[in-house]
Structures are given as structure tokens and as C-alpha cells.
Amino acid sequence: MPSADALDIYYTYTFEYTQDDNVNGLLPETASKIMGCEGFEYIYYAGLLGRGTQNLVKSITVKHSKEEEETVYEFFYNFDYNQNVTTCSYGKGSQTVVVTYKYQ
């Protein structure tokens, strides 16, 4: 049976973008689940869910409706000579995640 307070429990996601073009159409890291394509990222990259964002994601702020604190994920990118993203890192302290991209 559904919870009666389910309408009061939700998350709000706020995306902030860099000035850097998203030339590779990258899916924002950590956003697979909230965008409804966790496990189906290949559908996103095949273009079946529309186009990627115009600019790379600078940060994602997550706010839970029942909590005062927000969680902020900040993203840092490295580029090759063609402006392709080669790495993206995010996280806090020892929990930093580094994602490496290769293009063919």
C-alpha cells in the first residue's frame, strides 16, 4: 500500500553549466538514474533520448524535500587538442571519482 506522505517526499535537481561546449554530447555524470536511463545509457548515446546538453555540466545540486542540507556535485574536465573531454572528476575528499573517455 502506498505511503500517504509520498507526495511530500521528493528530490529537486538543479543543474548549472560551464561555458565549455559539450562537443561529445556527454551524459552528465551521476545523472543516469535521475534522467531515467540508468542501465540504458547506450540509448542516450544512440540519440534515442534527444540530444545532449549544449554545455558541460558544472554542478548538480540535490535537495531532498524533508532535509535542510543540499548535496552538491561539482565537475572538473580535462580536454584534448580537439576539445574532446578526456577526463571528468567529481566528488569530495577521498571519494573523488574520475571518469576517462576515449573516442574512436
Side-chain angles (χ1 to χ4, degrees):
M1 179 154 204
S3 173
D5 65 350
L7 295 178
D8 289 345
I9 301 174
Y10 56 89
Y11 290 92
T12 302
Y13 299 90
T14 305
F15 290 76
E16 185 177 341
Y17 296 92
T18 67
Q19 295 297 318
D20 300 311
D21 289 336
N22 186 1
V23 297
N24 305 110
L26 298 177
L27 175 67
E29 288 299 320
T30 76
S32 294
K33 186 173 184 178
I34 61 177
M35 294 179 75
C37 59
E38 184 175 39
F40 298 98
E41 290 86 355
Y42 61 90
I43 293 174
Y44 175 87
Y45 285 114
L48 300 175
L49 296 175
R51 298 185 328 180
T53 60
Q54 182 175 351
N55 296 82
L56 293 170
V57 174
K58 179 179 182 179
S59 66
I60 299 174
T61 303
V62 183
K63 175 79 171 96
H64 187 278
S65 61
K66 298 289 186 179
E67 297 174 9
E68 300 236 352
E69 243 180 78
E70 296 178 334
T71 302
V72 178
Y73 298 96
E74 291 191 59
F75 300 92
F76 303 94
Y77 302 93
N78 290 313
F79 303 88
D80 67 9
Y81 60 92
N82 288 326
Q83 292 305 306
N84 292 312
V85 174
T86 56
T87 61
C88 171
S89 60
Y90 64 96
K92 295 182 181 180
S94 64
Q95 297 178 343
T96 300
V97 175
V98 178
V99 180
T100 303
Y101 299 96
K102 295 191 186 248
Y103 308 95
Q104 296 184 14

XYZ file of all heavy atoms in Angstrom:
843
model
N 0.851 -1.184 0.000
C 0.000 0.000 0.000
C 0.897 1.249 0.000
O 1.832 1.340 0.801
C -0.893 -0.041 1.233
C -1.800 1.122 1.368
S -3.230 0.617 2.342
C -4.383 1.787 1.782
N 0.624 2.199 -0.852
C 1.448 3.410 -0.928
C 1.377 4.219 0.364
O 0.369 4.230 1.053
C 0.834 4.197 -2.084
C -0.044 3.252 -2.804
C -0.420 2.176 -1.853
N 2.464 4.908 0.630
C 2.537 5.778 1.799
C 1.682 7.022 1.570
O 1.655 7.586 0.481
C 3.988 6.180 2.041
O 4.060 7.136 3.056
N 0.999 7.473 2.602
C 0.139 8.665 2.495
C 0.952 9.938 2.328
O 0.464 10.927 1.793
C -0.750 8.770 3.735
N 2.220 9.927 2.780
C 3.034 11.140 2.671
C 3.939 11.119 1.431
O 4.835 11.936 1.302
C 3.870 11.336 3.932
C 4.908 10.247 4.138
O 4.857 9.232 3.420
O 5.756 10.422 5.023
N 3.704 10.214 0.517
C 4.562 10.082 -0.663
C 4.627 11.373 -1.483
O 5.653 11.672 -2.072
C 4.084 8.932 -1.539
N 3.568 12.145 -1.509
C 3.581 13.386 -2.292
C 4.481 14.441 -1.660
O 4.888 15.390 -2.326
C 2.167 13.930 -2.439
C 1.213 13.048 -3.249
C -0.174 13.672 -3.271
C 1.720 12.859 -4.655
N 4.795 14.298 -0.369
C 5.660 15.255 0.311
C 7.131 14.873 0.241
O 7.980 15.623 0.687
C 5.261 15.370 1.789
C 3.928 16.076 1.972
O 3.469 16.715 1.007
O 3.360 15.987 3.060
N 7.448 13.709 -0.287
C 8.825 13.250 -0.348
C 9.271 13.258 -1.807
O 8.765 12.503 -2.623
C 8.971 11.835 0.256
C 8.522 11.840 1.710
C 10.400 11.353 0.127
C 8.482 10.477 2.353
N 10.219 14.134 -2.115
C 10.718 14.244 -3.472
C 12.112 14.866 -3.456
O 12.552 15.402 -2.439
C 9.775 15.099 -4.333
C 9.536 16.478 -3.769
C 10.364 17.534 -4.102
C 8.480 16.716 -2.893
C 10.159 18.800 -3.570
C 8.261 17.971 -2.367
C 9.107 19.008 -2.707
O 8.904 20.246 -2.172
N 12.794 14.771 -4.577
C 14.105 15.382 -4.762
C 14.011 16.454 -5.830
O 13.286 16.304 -6.803
C 15.133 14.339 -5.218
C 15.510 13.344 -4.149
C 14.828 12.143 -4.015
C 16.561 13.605 -3.274
C 15.177 11.221 -3.042
C 16.915 12.695 -2.298
C 16.221 11.500 -2.185
O 16.563 10.595 -1.231
N 14.779 17.512 -5.642
C 14.894 18.562 -6.639
C 16.342 18.591 -7.110
O 17.263 18.644 -6.293
C 14.516 19.936 -6.056
O 13.180 19.875 -5.556
C 14.617 21.031 -7.100
N 16.551 18.515 -8.423
C 17.882 18.528 -9.009
C 18.059 19.827 -9.782
O 17.248 20.158 -10.642
C 18.072 17.344 -9.954
C 17.938 16.013 -9.259
C 16.709 15.374 -9.158
C 19.047 15.396 -8.704
C 16.585 14.161 -8.514
C 18.937 14.178 -8.057
C 17.700 13.572 -7.967
O 17.571 12.362 -7.330
N 19.134 20.552 -9.473
C 19.431 21.796 -10.160
C 20.767 21.645 -10.881
O 21.775 21.311 -10.256
C 19.503 22.965 -9.160
O 18.286 23.016 -8.422
C 19.721 24.285 -9.882
N 20.754 21.852 -12.188
C 21.961 21.741 -12.998
C 22.501 23.137 -13.293
O 21.744 24.023 -13.676
C 21.655 21.049 -14.325
C 21.344 19.583 -14.184
C 20.116 19.160 -13.707
C 22.282 18.639 -14.529
C 19.818 17.820 -13.583
C 22.001 17.286 -14.414
C 20.765 16.869 -13.935
N 23.808 23.304 -13.144
C 24.486 24.539 -13.538
C 25.506 24.142 -14.601
O 26.143 23.089 -14.497
C 25.187 25.176 -12.339
C 25.794 26.514 -12.644
C 26.426 27.163 -11.416
O 26.108 26.767 -10.292
O 27.256 28.059 -11.612
N 25.671 24.963 -15.615
C 26.501 24.597 -16.757
C 27.743 25.464 -16.866
O 27.751 26.612 -16.432
C 25.682 24.698 -18.054
C 24.541 23.717 -18.060
C 23.282 24.076 -17.602
C 24.743 22.409 -18.468
C 22.240 23.156 -17.567
C 23.705 21.488 -18.443
C 22.464 21.872 -17.989
O 21.441 20.958 -17.955
N 28.800 24.905 -17.482
C 30.021 25.655 -17.761
C 29.836 26.436 -19.055
O 28.813 26.325 -19.717
C 31.229 24.703 -17.936
O 31.036 23.934 -19.132
C 31.401 23.775 -16.735
N 30.859 27.163 -19.440
C 30.876 27.846 -20.736
C 31.415 26.922 -21.827
O 31.367 27.248 -23.008
C 31.740 29.112 -20.663
C 31.174 30.157 -19.729
C 29.820 30.666 -20.184
O 29.600 30.909 -21.375
N 28.897 30.807 -19.258
N 31.931 25.749 -21.432
C 32.527 24.803 -22.385
C 31.446 24.040 -23.141
O 30.508 23.517 -22.535
C 33.431 23.801 -21.654
C 34.570 24.477 -20.926
O 35.239 25.318 -21.550
O 34.777 24.171 -19.736
N 31.601 23.968 -24.456
C 30.654 23.225 -25.285
C 30.744 21.730 -24.996
O 31.828 21.192 -24.779
C 30.926 23.455 -26.773
C 30.563 24.858 -27.215
O 29.716 25.488 -26.560
O 31.142 25.319 -28.219
N 29.621 21.065 -25.019
C 29.544 19.621 -24.844
C 29.636 18.995 -26.235
O 28.674 18.451 -26.757
C 28.225 19.250 -24.144
C 28.122 17.796 -23.790
O 29.028 17.017 -24.027
N 26.989 17.417 -23.220
N 30.832 19.087 -26.838
C 31.007 18.663 -28.231
C 30.785 17.165 -28.416
O 30.482 16.716 -29.521
C 32.388 19.066 -28.794
C 32.548 20.573 -28.832
C 33.512 18.422 -28.004
N 30.921 16.368 -27.359
C 30.754 14.919 -27.454
C 29.373 14.461 -27.010
O 29.085 13.269 -27.032
C 31.824 14.210 -26.626
C 33.216 14.646 -27.021
O 33.879 15.335 -26.262
N 33.644 14.293 -28.214
N 28.491 15.389 -26.604
C 27.141 15.025 -26.180
C 27.122 14.150 -24.942
O 26.294 13.249 -24.820
N 28.037 14.410 -23.999
C 28.167 13.565 -22.819
C 26.965 13.660 -21.891
O 26.408 14.736 -21.684
C 29.431 13.936 -22.040
C 30.747 13.752 -22.786
C 31.906 14.225 -21.924
C 30.933 12.311 -23.203
N 26.580 12.535 -21.354
C 25.551 12.452 -20.321
C 26.187 12.938 -19.031
O 27.271 12.482 -18.677
C 25.093 11.006 -20.175
C 24.099 10.673 -19.073
C 22.752 11.323 -19.366
C 23.922 9.165 -18.966
N 25.559 13.861 -18.316
C 26.159 14.332 -17.064
C 26.375 13.172 -16.089
O 25.475 12.367 -15.871
C 25.117 15.312 -16.511
C 24.312 15.719 -17.702
C 24.307 14.533 -18.619
N 27.591 13.060 -15.555
C 27.891 12.003 -14.591
C 26.946 12.117 -13.400
O 26.553 13.209 -13.025
C 29.343 12.109 -14.112
C 30.348 11.701 -15.160
C 30.162 10.256 -15.593
O 29.885 9.390 -14.758
O 30.306 10.003 -16.797
N 26.590 11.025 -12.830
C 25.653 10.856 -11.699
C 24.202 11.084 -12.091
O 23.321 10.907 -11.267
C 25.964 11.751 -10.474
O 25.571 13.093 -10.727
C 27.415 11.703 -10.068
N 23.939 11.463 -13.343
C 22.577 11.825 -13.734
C 21.823 10.700 -14.430
O 20.670 10.878 -14.784
C 22.606 13.060 -14.627
N 22.439 9.552 -14.612
C 21.769 8.453 -15.327
C 20.446 8.077 -14.685
O 19.429 7.927 -15.359
C 22.661 7.213 -15.370
O 23.791 7.449 -16.138
N 20.455 7.914 -13.369
C 19.249 7.476 -12.664
C 18.169 8.557 -12.687
O 17.011 8.284 -12.981
C 19.594 7.102 -11.230
C 18.449 6.498 -10.471
C 18.889 6.001 -9.111
C 17.757 5.319 -8.388
N 18.172 4.794 -7.084
N 18.551 9.804 -12.400
C 17.547 10.869 -12.321
C 16.975 11.224 -13.691
O 15.879 11.753 -13.783
C 18.088 12.129 -11.613
C 19.267 12.729 -12.357
C 18.435 11.820 -10.183
C 19.795 14.003 -11.755
N 17.726 10.899 -14.760
C 17.220 11.159 -16.099
C 16.479 9.955 -16.663
O 16.022 9.969 -17.795
C 18.361 11.583 -17.019
C 18.965 12.917 -16.614
S 20.311 13.429 -17.663
C 19.423 13.951 -19.112
N 16.378 8.893 -15.841
C 15.593 7.733 -16.233
C 16.260 6.785 -17.193
O 15.585 6.024 -17.876
N 17.591 6.826 -17.278
C 18.247 5.919 -18.224
C 19.369 5.104 -17.584
O 20.273 4.653 -18.282
C 18.730 6.668 -19.455
S 19.899 7.979 -19.161
N 19.302 4.890 -16.276
C 20.320 4.065 -15.620
C 20.269 2.654 -16.191
O 19.225 2.012 -16.226
C 20.098 4.031 -14.111
C 21.177 3.271 -13.380
C 21.024 3.325 -11.881
O 19.882 3.250 -11.397
O 22.048 3.456 -11.206
N 21.417 2.184 -16.634
C 21.489 0.876 -17.264
C 21.168 0.909 -18.745
O 21.359 -0.065 -19.457
N 20.671 2.039 -19.212
C 20.305 2.194 -20.623
C 21.019 3.398 -21.240
O 20.515 4.028 -22.159
C 18.794 2.380 -20.766
C 18.011 1.199 -20.273
C 17.466 1.203 -18.999
C 17.857 0.081 -21.074
C 16.759 0.107 -18.533
C 17.151 -1.015 -20.620
C 16.602 -1.011 -19.344
N 22.213 3.697 -20.715
C 22.959 4.849 -21.207
C 23.218 4.758 -22.706
O 23.284 5.779 -23.385
C 24.292 4.982 -20.460
C 24.155 5.396 -19.017
C 23.922 4.229 -18.059
O 23.768 3.079 -18.521
O 23.861 4.455 -16.855
N 23.335 3.555 -23.223
C 23.580 3.382 -24.658
C 22.434 3.977 -25.481
O 22.636 4.440 -26.595
C 23.801 1.909 -25.007
C 22.639 1.004 -24.710
C 21.660 0.766 -25.661
C 22.493 0.395 -23.457
C 20.581 -0.065 -25.391
C 21.423 -0.438 -23.184
C 20.471 -0.662 -24.142
O 19.400 -1.471 -23.874
N 21.214 3.985 -24.927
C 20.077 4.600 -25.635
C 20.287 6.109 -25.728
O 20.038 6.725 -26.760
C 18.751 4.270 -24.927
C 18.456 2.780 -25.029
C 17.598 5.084 -25.495
C 17.232 2.332 -24.238
N 20.777 6.695 -24.652
C 21.083 8.130 -24.646
C 22.133 8.431 -25.716
O 21.975 9.330 -26.534
C 21.580 8.551 -23.260
C 22.038 9.983 -23.173
C 21.142 11.001 -22.891
C 23.367 10.327 -23.385
C 21.553 12.320 -22.805
C 23.788 11.643 -23.299
C 22.882 12.630 -23.015
O 23.295 13.929 -22.946
N 23.236 7.647 -25.700
C 24.323 7.903 -26.639
C 23.954 7.565 -28.076
O 24.565 8.079 -29.006
C 25.591 7.179 -26.191
C 26.238 7.884 -25.018
C 26.304 7.291 -23.769
C 26.762 9.159 -25.162
C 26.864 7.954 -22.692
C 27.327 9.833 -24.097
C 27.390 9.223 -22.867
O 27.947 9.884 -21.815
N 22.966 6.739 -28.277
C 22.490 6.441 -29.629
C 21.595 7.561 -30.155
O 21.212 7.554 -31.313
C 21.729 5.121 -29.639
N 21.260 8.530 -29.295
C 20.441 9.658 -29.714
C 18.949 9.406 -29.635
O 18.150 10.203 -30.128
N 18.546 8.317 -28.994
C 17.122 7.986 -28.926
C 16.387 8.735 -27.817
O 15.173 8.648 -27.719
C 16.946 6.477 -28.751
C 17.548 5.639 -29.886
C 17.430 4.152 -29.570
C 16.886 5.962 -31.206
N 17.125 9.470 -26.986
C 16.502 10.275 -25.928
C 16.718 11.767 -26.178
O 16.661 12.569 -25.258
C 17.086 9.887 -24.555
C 16.808 8.460 -24.107
C 17.539 8.178 -22.803
C 15.325 8.226 -23.945
N 16.954 12.113 -27.414
C 17.196 13.516 -27.742
C 18.685 13.807 -27.784
O 19.508 12.906 -27.836
N 19.037 15.058 -27.746
C 20.432 15.480 -27.821
C 20.968 15.785 -26.427
O 20.217 16.113 -25.514
C 20.555 16.719 -28.695
C 20.123 16.451 -30.117
C 20.328 17.604 -31.038
N 20.185 18.897 -30.388
C 20.320 20.049 -30.979
N 20.587 20.088 -32.241
N 20.177 21.179 -30.335
N 22.286 15.714 -26.306
C 22.935 16.084 -25.056
C 22.827 17.579 -24.820
O 22.445 18.340 -25.712
N 23.168 18.012 -23.617
C 23.121 19.435 -23.293
C 24.137 20.196 -24.138
O 25.146 19.640 -24.566
C 23.421 19.670 -21.797
O 24.723 19.168 -21.504
C 22.392 18.997 -20.924
N 23.881 21.462 -24.386
C 24.763 22.276 -25.215
C 26.107 22.498 -24.528
O 27.140 22.522 -25.173
C 24.106 23.623 -25.517
C 24.942 24.503 -26.418
C 24.223 25.783 -26.801
O 23.046 25.951 -26.537
N 24.940 26.691 -27.400
N 26.092 22.678 -23.215
C 27.313 22.910 -22.456
C 27.512 21.796 -21.438
O 26.563 21.122 -21.043
C 27.243 24.263 -21.740
C 27.176 25.404 -22.721
O 26.113 25.726 -23.235
N 28.299 26.016 -23.001
N 28.760 21.625 -21.009
C 29.073 20.622 -19.996
C 28.512 21.044 -18.643
O 28.405 22.237 -18.345
C 30.586 20.441 -19.889
C 31.257 19.817 -21.114
C 32.774 19.923 -20.998
C 30.815 18.374 -21.275
N 28.162 20.080 -17.830
C 27.592 20.353 -16.505
C 28.702 20.784 -15.557
O 29.730 20.109 -15.440
C 26.861 19.105 -15.956
C 26.391 19.337 -14.542
C 25.693 18.753 -16.850
N 28.499 21.905 -14.879
C 29.449 22.412 -13.889
C 29.146 21.822 -12.516
O 30.038 21.428 -11.787
C 29.368 23.938 -13.834
C 30.279 24.576 -12.837
C 30.135 26.082 -12.870
C 31.079 26.747 -11.891
N 30.942 28.209 -11.943
N 27.860 21.748 -12.175
C 27.475 21.187 -10.877
C 26.031 20.716 -10.918
O 25.233 21.176 -11.724
C 27.648 22.224 -9.759
O 26.747 23.294 -9.929
N 25.748 19.754 -10.030
C 24.383 19.290 -9.806
C 24.112 19.433 -8.315
O 24.869 18.923 -7.490
C 24.195 17.823 -10.229
C 24.468 17.644 -11.725
C 22.777 17.353 -9.895
C 24.439 16.193 -12.183
N 23.037 20.142 -7.973
C 22.638 20.306 -6.581
C 21.399 19.453 -6.347
O 20.430 19.547 -7.097
C 22.319 21.787 -6.265
O 23.475 22.572 -6.581
C 21.947 21.979 -4.803
N 21.463 18.619 -5.309
C 20.363 17.716 -4.973
C 19.773 18.150 -3.649
O 20.474 18.280 -2.650
C 20.854 16.254 -4.870
C 19.683 15.322 -4.588
C 21.597 15.842 -6.122
N 18.460 18.374 -3.636
C 17.749 18.798 -2.422
C 16.618 17.828 -2.161
O 15.765 17.602 -3.017
C 17.199 20.216 -2.611
C 16.335 20.725 -1.486
C 17.173 21.188 -0.329
C 16.350 21.906 0.724
N 15.925 21.079 1.824
N 16.629 17.234 -0.960
C 15.551 16.329 -0.533
C 14.496 17.178 0.160
O 14.813 18.072 0.944
C 16.111 15.267 0.418
C 15.128 14.209 0.781
N 14.188 14.372 1.775
C 14.927 12.974 0.282
C 13.460 13.275 1.880
N 13.883 12.404 0.979
N 13.228 16.902 -0.100
C 12.145 17.722 0.437
C 12.052 17.694 1.955
O 11.523 18.624 2.560
C 10.802 17.280 -0.159
O 10.544 15.928 0.176
N 12.579 16.669 2.609
C 12.477 16.548 4.073
C 13.776 16.894 4.796
O 13.858 16.769 6.006
C 12.061 15.116 4.453
C 10.702 14.712 3.922
C 9.599 15.433 4.646
C 8.251 14.917 4.205
N 7.146 15.543 4.855
N 14.790 17.316 4.065
C 16.074 17.644 4.677
C 16.457 19.077 4.356
O 16.119 19.601 3.309
C 17.161 16.691 4.171
C 16.915 15.247 4.544
C 17.931 14.305 3.916
O 18.927 14.792 3.330
O 17.723 13.094 4.001
N 17.182 19.697 5.276
C 17.607 21.082 5.073
C 18.857 21.168 4.200
O 19.019 22.093 3.438
C 17.883 21.727 6.430
C 16.668 21.744 7.323
C 16.316 23.132 7.784
O 17.096 24.053 7.545
O 15.250 23.274 8.387
N 19.750 20.184 4.337
C 21.013 20.216 3.629
C 20.875 19.814 2.174
O 20.060 18.977 1.834
C 21.998 19.248 4.299
C 23.196 19.948 4.867
C 24.143 18.968 5.517
O 24.881 18.298 4.775
O 24.118 18.882 6.744
N 21.695 20.427 1.359
C 21.756 20.077 -0.057
C 23.056 19.311 -0.310
O 24.042 19.496 0.400
C 21.774 21.333 -0.929
C 20.539 22.167 -0.847
C 20.652 23.420 -1.688
O 21.771 23.905 -1.926
O 19.605 23.923 -2.102
N 23.052 18.472 -1.302
C 24.268 17.805 -1.750
C 24.651 18.418 -3.086
O 23.812 18.527 -3.977
C 24.037 16.292 -1.928
O 23.598 15.745 -0.684
C 25.305 15.593 -2.363
N 25.904 18.837 -3.193
C 26.377 19.471 -4.433
C 27.503 18.632 -5.012
O 28.466 18.306 -4.321
C 26.869 20.908 -4.174
C 27.393 21.534 -5.465
C 25.766 21.758 -3.569
N 27.354 18.275 -6.279
C 28.398 17.580 -7.025
C 29.000 18.591 -7.993
O 28.288 19.139 -8.822
C 27.826 16.403 -7.818
C 27.197 15.333 -6.970
C 25.824 15.323 -6.747
C 27.971 14.324 -6.396
C 25.243 14.328 -5.970
C 27.390 13.334 -5.616
C 26.037 13.345 -5.409
O 25.461 12.367 -4.639
N 30.305 18.848 -7.883
C 30.988 19.751 -8.816
C 31.835 18.914 -9.765
O 32.466 17.948 -9.348
C 31.866 20.741 -8.066
C 31.052 21.743 -7.269
C 31.908 22.869 -6.748
O 32.524 23.562 -7.587
O 31.956 23.050 -5.535
N 31.859 19.309 -11.039
C 32.533 18.547 -12.073
C 33.699 19.346 -12.642
O 33.587 20.554 -12.870
C 31.553 18.198 -13.194
C 30.392 17.381 -12.694
C 29.227 17.996 -12.271
C 30.478 16.002 -12.615
C 28.162 17.246 -11.790
C 29.421 15.249 -12.134
C 28.260 15.868 -11.720
N 34.810 18.622 -12.883
C 36.018 19.223 -13.449
C 36.433 18.387 -14.648
O 36.470 17.162 -14.581
C 37.127 19.271 -12.395
C 36.710 20.021 -11.160
C 36.189 19.338 -10.073
C 36.802 21.398 -11.108
C 35.771 20.014 -8.936
C 36.389 22.086 -9.972
C 35.873 21.396 -8.896
N 36.763 19.057 -15.752
C 37.027 18.385 -17.016
C 38.445 18.664 -17.504
O 38.989 19.744 -17.274
C 36.046 18.861 -18.090
C 34.597 18.634 -17.732
C 33.845 19.613 -17.098
C 33.979 17.424 -18.021
C 32.522 19.399 -16.763
C 32.653 17.202 -17.695
C 31.935 18.197 -17.057
O 30.615 17.975 -16.728
N 39.008 17.700 -18.224
C 40.245 17.877 -18.970
C 39.925 17.588 -20.428
O 39.092 16.728 -20.732
C 41.338 16.921 -18.473
C 41.824 17.308 -17.096
O 42.107 18.467 -16.836
N 41.900 16.346 -16.209
N 40.620 18.308 -21.323
C 40.325 18.226 -22.751
C 41.576 17.863 -23.543
O 42.687 18.157 -23.111
C 39.809 19.584 -23.261
C 38.605 20.088 -22.530
C 38.738 20.859 -21.386
C 37.335 19.788 -22.969
C 37.623 21.328 -20.701
C 36.209 20.243 -22.295
C 36.360 21.018 -21.160
N 41.375 17.255 -24.724
C 42.496 17.036 -25.620
C 42.581 18.208 -26.600
O 41.834 19.184 -26.478
C 42.389 15.672 -26.332
C 41.225 15.582 -27.318
O 40.571 16.612 -27.619
O 40.951 14.465 -27.792
N 43.455 18.113 -27.592
C 43.673 19.219 -28.531
C 42.462 19.508 -29.423
O 42.363 20.578 -30.002
C 44.917 18.962 -29.384
C 44.837 17.700 -30.196
C 44.350 17.719 -31.490
C 45.240 16.482 -29.660
C 44.260 16.558 -32.235
C 45.165 15.320 -30.403
C 44.671 15.367 -31.683
O 44.583 14.209 -32.426
N 41.519 18.558 -29.542
C 40.299 18.772 -30.332
C 39.118 19.210 -29.479
O 37.989 19.225 -29.950
C 39.911 17.478 -31.069
C 40.833 17.165 -32.208
O 41.326 18.070 -32.868
N 41.087 15.898 -32.427
N 39.374 19.537 -28.220
C 38.346 19.936 -27.247
C 37.417 18.785 -26.867
O 36.310 19.013 -26.388
C 37.558 21.150 -27.731
C 38.397 22.419 -27.780
C 39.062 22.732 -26.449
O 38.419 22.811 -25.432
N 40.368 22.889 -26.461
N 37.845 17.535 -27.091
C 37.109 16.378 -26.595
C 37.415 16.224 -25.110
O 38.562 16.399 -24.689
C 37.560 15.096 -27.305
C 37.180 15.081 -28.756
O 36.047 15.374 -29.113
N 38.133 14.739 -29.612
N 36.420 15.885 -24.320
C 36.638 15.651 -22.898
C 37.393 14.335 -22.756
O 36.975 13.305 -23.283
C 35.299 15.584 -22.133
C 35.527 15.201 -20.679
C 34.557 16.900 -22.227
N 38.524 14.377 -22.049
C 39.291 13.155 -21.816
C 39.048 12.600 -20.422
O 39.037 11.391 -20.233
C 40.796 13.392 -22.025
O 41.221 14.467 -21.184
C 41.094 13.707 -23.476
N 38.848 13.477 -19.438
C 38.506 13.034 -18.078
C 37.510 13.990 -17.449
O 37.459 15.179 -17.772
C 39.737 12.943 -17.142
O 40.322 14.231 -17.027
C 40.745 11.934 -17.621
N 36.716 13.440 -16.546
C 35.772 14.218 -15.746
C 35.931 13.719 -14.324
O 35.883 12.515 -14.069
C 34.338 13.998 -16.223
S 33.088 14.718 -15.122
N 36.136 14.620 -13.372
C 36.246 14.209 -11.974
C 35.214 14.958 -11.139
O 34.859 16.094 -11.436
C 37.656 14.462 -11.441
O 37.986 15.825 -11.523
N 34.726 14.276 -10.115
C 33.768 14.870 -9.193
C 33.812 14.097 -7.891
O 34.355 13.000 -7.810
C 32.352 14.863 -9.775
C 31.784 13.479 -9.993
C 30.962 12.899 -9.043
C 32.068 12.751 -11.143
C 30.445 11.619 -9.238
C 31.556 11.493 -11.340
C 30.744 10.929 -10.382
O 30.233 9.668 -10.567
N 33.247 14.678 -6.842
C 33.216 14.018 -5.537
C 33.796 14.904 -4.461
O 34.089 16.079 -4.682
N 33.994 14.304 -3.281
C 34.507 15.060 -2.152
C 35.608 14.273 -1.458
O 35.441 13.096 -1.164
C 33.392 15.345 -1.157
C 32.319 16.240 -1.701
C 31.264 16.524 -0.660
C 30.195 17.418 -1.270
N 29.140 17.741 -0.350
N 36.743 14.942 -1.212
C 37.834 14.328 -0.474
C 38.315 13.034 -1.086
O 38.626 12.956 -2.264
N 38.356 11.996 -0.270
C 38.854 10.698 -0.733
C 37.827 9.954 -1.578
O 38.104 8.876 -2.092
C 39.251 9.833 0.468
O 38.109 9.551 1.259
N 36.648 10.510 -1.730
C 35.597 9.871 -2.522
C 35.492 10.476 -3.923
O 34.429 10.532 -4.499
C 34.258 9.974 -1.798
C 34.227 9.249 -0.482
C 32.891 9.410 0.217
O 32.107 10.289 -0.105
N 32.630 8.546 1.179
N 36.620 10.915 -4.446
C 36.644 11.503 -5.779
C 36.544 10.405 -6.832
O 37.195 9.380 -6.745
C 37.935 12.327 -5.988
O 37.971 13.363 -5.017
C 37.979 12.920 -7.386
N 35.711 10.644 -7.830
C 35.534 9.726 -8.948
C 36.156 10.375 -10.180
O 35.940 11.551 -10.443
C 34.021 9.471 -9.199
C 33.820 8.609 -10.434
C 33.380 8.857 -7.979
N 36.912 9.599 -10.923
C 37.495 10.074 -12.171
C 36.986 9.184 -13.301
O 37.158 7.972 -13.265
C 39.041 10.063 -12.132
C 39.618 10.520 -13.466
C 39.554 10.933 -10.997
N 36.356 9.802 -14.285
C 35.824 9.087 -15.445
C 36.717 9.420 -16.635
O 37.021 10.586 -16.887
C 34.368 9.524 -15.746
C 33.834 8.783 -16.954
C 33.491 9.314 -14.531
N 37.150 8.383 -17.355
C 38.013 8.566 -18.526
C 37.213 8.263 -19.785
O 36.514 7.267 -19.844
C 39.227 7.623 -18.447
O 39.923 7.886 -17.230
C 40.162 7.840 -19.621
N 37.342 9.136 -20.774
C 36.648 8.968 -22.049
C 37.668 8.712 -23.150
O 38.709 9.328 -23.189
C 35.847 10.223 -22.405
C 34.787 10.571 -21.406
C 35.017 11.505 -20.406
C 33.530 9.974 -21.463
C 34.024 11.832 -19.484
C 32.536 10.285 -20.547
C 32.804 11.228 -19.557
O 31.828 11.537 -18.651
N 37.329 7.793 -24.052
C 38.163 7.516 -25.233
C 37.242 7.553 -26.445
O 36.103 7.115 -26.394
C 38.827 6.157 -25.111
C 39.806 6.100 -23.965
C 40.653 4.854 -24.020
C 41.483 4.799 -22.785
N 42.844 4.979 -22.967
N 37.757 8.087 -27.543
C 36.966 8.233 -28.759
C 37.673 7.507 -29.895
O 38.887 7.470 -29.972
C 36.791 9.715 -29.107
C 36.260 10.510 -27.947
C 37.107 11.199 -27.088
C 34.900 10.541 -27.680
C 36.615 11.919 -26.011
C 34.394 11.247 -26.606
C 35.261 11.937 -25.779
O 34.773 12.634 -24.705
N 36.876 6.937 -30.784
C 37.438 6.232 -31.935
C 36.979 6.842 -33.223
O 35.972 7.390 -33.354
C 37.032 4.774 -31.886
C 37.610 4.108 -30.682
C 37.290 2.612 -30.659
O 36.865 2.042 -31.648
N 37.509 1.989 -29.539
